[in-house]
Amino acid sequence: MSSVIAHIEERGRREGILEAEKQFLAEKKIWDLEKKDLTQESGEMLSTLVILAQKTMIELGCSAQNACAQLGYSDSICHKVLPFLN
């Protein structure tokens, strides 16, 4: 009788693990889609920042670094934008 109970308990643990794996994979799929969307949005934002800096360079006749400063870009944003301007 104890072996039957042990078997039922083991089967329950396996089913619980399988269900947890299924749930994890479903959530991971959602996270992957959200990450893809965020990556695309980040690229679009960077493009916009580059275009604004280019316009500022043309309008003011200034360097890329000065354009970033004029626009109030942080150092981290400048670091990402400057390679596209030089």
Side-chain angles (χ1 to χ4, degrees):
M1 185 69 169
S2 65
S3 65
V4 172
I5 293 171
H7 176 70
I8 292 170
E9 288 176 343
E10 179 61 28
R11 190 170 84 192
R13 276 194 287 277
R14 281 190 305 236
E15 288 174 1
I17 290 170
L18 290 175
E19 185 60 35
E21 282 180 352
K22 256 199 252 183
Q23 184 177 357
F24 172 78
L25 291 174
E27 289 178 16
K28 185 180 180 308
K29 186 175 183 179
I30 292 169
W31 295 334
D32 289 345
L33 289 173
E34 288 174 353
K35 181 180 175 185
K36 180 182 175 188
D37 289 345
L38 286 174
T39 301
Q40 182 177 351
E41 288 175 10
S42 295
E44 291 170 359
M45 285 188 283
L46 181 59
S47 294
T48 301
L49 294 173
V50 169
I51 291 168
L52 288 172
Q54 288 173 332
K55 286 182 179 181
T56 302
M57 289 171 66
I58 292 168
E59 289 172 1
L60 301 179
C62 62
S63 69
Q65 287 182 321
N66 286 341
C68 288
Q70 287 291 322
L71 292 167
Y73 290 175
S74 66
D75 289 341
S76 63
I77 296 296
C78 285
H79 183 72
K80 292 177 183 170
V81 169
L82 286 174
F84 297 99
L85 299 174
N86 293 324

